[in-house]
Every structure is written in structure tokens, then in C-alpha cells.
Amino acid sequence: MAALHFDCGSALKCNTPCMFFDDHPEFLETSSTAAGKDRLNLRHVAIIEEHCKILSGSRVLDIASHDGRWSFAALQAGATHVTGIEGRGHLVALANQTFASKGIDPSRFRFIHGDAHDTLTAGLGTFDVVMCLGFLYHTLRYPELFAGIRATGARHVVIDTRVFAGGARVVRLIKNPKEIDSMAVEDRFSYEGKTLVGTPSVSAVVHMLDTYGFDVASQPDWARIRREHPGVTKARQYERGERVTMLAVSRD
Ligand SMILES: C[S@@+](CC[C@H](N)C(=O)[O-])C[C@H]1O[C@@H](n2cnc3c(N)ncnc32)[C@H](O)[C@@H]1O
């Protein structure tokens, strides 16, 4: 099927293909983490296409950049530069490899192998947009994370996370084994190869953002996204409200 081209209505016209990962199958090979094409394509609509006006022309920080899939998508949406932080070295190597094979100008990206909290705390400079995708449920180090995001000076933060059901401002505790690539890396707080992490409720995420000076501006309408892509399935977590995407804007 020929790739359709998405028109975000922006004067900048980022020309993001509608079903992005049809054109970039490398990312179906470099990771087994939720790498089903349908799900990635729908996430691309919610994470990138819905926000291409803010990504276009921006310097972007991608927290937990994995194999570089969302960093690459941000560049394709018109970001001028992207910095990824990823805790697993082999995923950083894969991201660099894929970017090289796609001929991306090395001056437009940088992947850092390191713990996201420590790297942010050490200071990374300034960014326009922070993407925190698939990461909030692999940490409990929220103050370090959000203070670090605040310190980047970013006006926009795109969050995509699994959430714990219920209205209360709570975090459901779980532990992540270090062996699984999609989960928390071992850090100085881990014990016997396991890291204590938590799945926050929507209210908890909103509260974290608010505490650090960000308001939630919008959330993609998953019912509409599904209607507009009837043949593309596999986004049930989003449809059931077990996972959300949100755009937060700085109050400053
Ligand atoms: C569920 S995957 C999300 C990948 C991608 N951002 C996405 O949304 O598709 C979580 C990623 O976070 C990384 N990660 C886990 N703990 C980390 C940490 N403390 N610092 C940096 N990266 C970490 C994992 O290695 C993995 O690549």
C-alpha cells in the first residue's frame, strides 16, 4: 500500500507519512519491545502526528530512547536535532546503526548511554520538547526525572505511559527484572537484579507535571484515531484507558 501523507495543517508541513512504520521496518527488527507494526503505527499518530506542529523546528530530548524509533520519527516530523538517553548500551548501538544506515546527518542526533535520572541531573542543556515515552512506569524516581525535565527549559512535554486505573493520585508498585529490555535498567537502588518501579494513575501523572510547572494541554482522542484507521488494530490498552498519551505545556 502506498504511504499516505499526513497534513497536520501546519504552515511548516512536516509531511509525516500516515502509517509511518510501514516505511521504516528496521524498527520492527531492532527491538522486540511492543514492536508490532499496527501498534507502533497508531502510537505514531498519537505521539508524533498529533504533535508535529510543536516538533517541527524543535530541539527534542527523547527519554528512554530505546532503539531510536521515536527520535527518528521526531526528526522526520521536522525536529532540527534529537538527543536520546537510553540505559541499555546495545539499544544505543542499534539506534546509532539504524540512523547511520538511513543516512541521517550525525550533526542532527546524539544518543547517550546512561541512566535517565542521573543524566538529566548532570545537565544536558536546553531543549524545546521532551518526549517521555513508555518510561513513567519503569521508575519511581519522579522528582529527579521531573526536576531534570524542568531544567531543560522545554516548553512542551509529550508523555506516553501505561496508567493505573482509578481516579486517585496513586502509584501501583511493581518490580522490574533487569534482564528484560523493555523494563527498568539496574541502577544504584536495585536489589538482586530487580528495580522497584510503579505505574502511576492519570491523576498522579497530572500531579507530577503540575508540581514541576506543566499543565496538560491535550490528549489524543483514541476513539477518533481508531475510527480513522479502521484496518489497524492492536491499541487496546489505549482504547481501554490503560495507557495514555498527553501533551503538557510549561506555565512559564
Ligand atoms: C518500554 S521501553 C520504551 C521505549 C520507547 N521509549 C517507546 O515508548 O517505545 C522502556 C525503555 O526504557 C529504558 N530504560 C529503563 N530504565 C532506564 C533508565 N533508568 N534510564 C534510561 N533508560 C531506561 C529501557 O532500556 C527501554 O529501552
Side-chain angles (χ1 to χ4, degrees), residues 43 64 66 69-70 86-88 115-116 133-134 181-183 185:
R43 286 185 78 203
H66 204 65
R69 45 172 83 151
W70 302 115
E86 168 52 51
R88 289 189 162 85
D115 172 78
L133 312 174
D181 269 5
S182 61
M183 295 199 176
V185 294

Side-chain angles (χ1 to χ4, degrees), residues 54-62 78-83 107-108 110 124-130 154 156:
I54 64 150
L55 289 166
S56 193
S58 291
R59 288 179 64 80
V60 175
L61 175 64
D62 180 8
T80 54
H81 187 277
V82 67
T83 298
S107 70
R108 293 187 66 204
R110 175 185 179 207
L124 269 179
T126 57
F127 296 90
D128 303 305
V129 180
V130 173
H156 293 104

